[in-house]
């Protein structure tokens, strides 16, 4: 993708007017300091679960258009659900005219401090460990690792926000997924039919824990994503809900 030039004109009067034109290249939001590898097989058998809490990437709508992020990008799980556009650059292994791929962050690529080579996921490196299917869209299998440029893009999801109920009678945890817009949730509140709005805490990935017992109540949620936008999903869950169930709201970003 080409760069866009933005030009600024300055006038300087010293007996005559001299016009200087200064042009500065804009990278259009791309970060060129990153690499990509792949994990799993072509069917994604090793990409089913991960550090974001998603239970099944296929059933939950993410499929193989996913990646595990290095420490520098993962942000202790706060980036889970964010979407990126990625392009192979500056390598003979890049597939010519391959264009870009778009993925959702669904896992963590852990650092390995015992190795001295191929330490792509070690800080401070920015790295994407892609599903094999997505990697093969930009580079051949034999490449193994390629330099890439990337940028955040809006997540486009079908349907509404979804909430998976987990836990037991003493604590209730909600996995929020299928999040559009910025994709990564930064704040959640829950409201039972017998409570006011309760501030939830993120336990890990995109798992959020209720501060109070809310069993046998219908539930609403207030969800805020990293661009600051907030929606309320009202009465998403009926009062006869059970642990392990997933419910879909009528709203999204």
């Amino acid at each position: 993708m080409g760069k866009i030039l933005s030009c600024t004109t300055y006038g300087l009067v010293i007996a005559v007017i001299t016009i200087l034109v200064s042009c500065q290249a804009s990278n259009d939001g791309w970060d060129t300091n990153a690499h990509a590898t792949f994990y799993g097989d072509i069917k994604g058998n090793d990409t089913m679960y991960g550090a974001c809490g998603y239970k099944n990437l296929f059933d939950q709508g993410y499929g193989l258009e996913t990646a595990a992020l290095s420490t520098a990008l993962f942000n202790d799980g706060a980036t889970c659900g964010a979407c990126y556009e990625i392009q192979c650059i500056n390598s003979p292994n890049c597939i010519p005219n391959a264009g870009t791929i778009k993925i959702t962050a669904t896992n963590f690529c852990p650092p390995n401090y015992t190795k001295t080579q191929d330490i792509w996921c070690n800080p401070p490196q920015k790295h994407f460990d892609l599903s094999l299917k997505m990697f093969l869209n930009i580079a051949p299998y034999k490449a193994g690792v390629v330099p890439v440029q990337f940028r955040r893009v809006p997540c486009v999801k079908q349907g509404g926000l979804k909430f998976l109920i987990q836990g037991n009678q003493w604590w209730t945890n909600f996995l929020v997924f299928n999040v559009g817009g910025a994709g990564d949730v930064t704040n959640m509140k829950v409201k039972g039919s017998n409570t006011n709005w309760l501030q939830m805490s993120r336990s890990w990935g995109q798992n959020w824990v209720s501060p109070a017992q809310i069993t046998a109540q219908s539930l609403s949620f207030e969800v805020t994503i990293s661009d600051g936008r907030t929606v309320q999903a009202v009465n998403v869950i009926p009062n006869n809900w059970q642990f392990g169930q997933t419910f879909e709201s009528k709203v999204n970003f």
Side-chain angles (χ1 to χ4, degrees):
M1 189 170 294
K3 293 183 176 180
I4 301 173
L5 296 181
S6 57
C7 302
T8 307
T9 303
Y10 302 87
L12 176 62
V13 180
I14 307 177
V16 294
I17 298 177
T18 303
I19 299 178
L20 303 176
V21 178
S22 172
C23 296
Q24 181 178 2
S26 171
N27 65 7
D28 204 24
W30 290 100
D31 186 326
T32 59
N33 184 28
H35 288 81
T37 50
F38 62 85
Y39 72 111
D41 58 25
I42 195 65
K43 295 181 180 180
N45 289 325
D46 294 330
T47 62
M48 300 287 282
Y49 311 103
C52 290
Y54 306 123
K55 298 302 179 183
N56 188 305
L57 298 181
F58 299 97
D59 292 347
Q60 293 179 326
Y62 296 105
L64 294 176
E65 297 176 354
T66 59
L69 306 188
S70 63
T71 301
L73 297 172
F74 190 66
N75 194 23
D76 289 329
T79 310
C80 290
C83 295
Y84 293 86
E85 185 174 14
I86 299 171
Q87 184 174 31
C88 184
I89 60 169
N90 302 330
S91 171
N93 287 317
C94 294
I95 296 175
N97 303 312
T100 64
I101 59 172
K102 293 180 180 179
I103 58 90
T104 303
T106 58
N107 207 345
F108 175 52
C109 183
N112 185 346
Y113 298 110
T114 66
K115 297 182 68 175
T116 58
Q117 295 180 338
D118 300 332
I119 49 174
W120 301 110
C121 289
N122 283 16
Q125 298 185 95
K126 299 174 183 178
H127 190 80
F128 296 88
D129 204 15
L130 303 168
S131 70
L132 177 56
K133 180 179 179 180
M134 298 309 292
F135 184 86
L136 293 178
N137 286 320
I138 59 174
Y141 184 95
K142 65 179 182 181
V145 58
V146 291
V148 297
Q149 63 179 6
F150 71 95
R151 62 182 174 182
R152 284 285 297 269
V153 292
C155 299
V156 180
K157 305 298 180 184
Q158 299 297 318
L161 302 173
K162 296 181 180 181
F163 305 89
L164 168 61
I165 311 172
Q166 304 173 101
N168 53 49
Q169 60 180 322
W170 295 283
W171 67 277
T172 308
N173 174 87
F174 298 92
L175 171 68
V176 56
F177 62 100
N178 198 53
V179 182
D184 48 340
V185 175
T186 58
N187 194 55
M188 270 186 62
K189 296 179 181 179
V190 63
K191 183 181 185 303
S193 49
N194 298 325
T195 74
N196 294 318
W197 284 104
L198 305 172
Q199 179 65 55
M200 301 177 74
S201 59
R202 187 173 67 87
S203 56
W204 61 282
Q206 284 301 350
N207 287 280
W208 295 78
V209 178
S210 169
Q213 191 177 71
I214 51 176
T215 54
Q217 299 182 56
S218 59
L219 304 177
S220 302
F221 298 93
E222 183 177 277
V223 180
T224 301
I225 53 178
S226 63
D227 63 8
R229 289 190 292 163
T230 298
V231 298
Q232 288 188 349
V234 179
N235 294 328
V236 179
I237 298 178
N239 61 9
N240 61 345
W241 57 265
Q242 300 292 321
F243 291 107
Q245 290 182 308
T246 296
F247 294 88
E248 181 176 358
S249 73
K250 296 181 180 179
V251 298
N252 211 323
F253 294 93

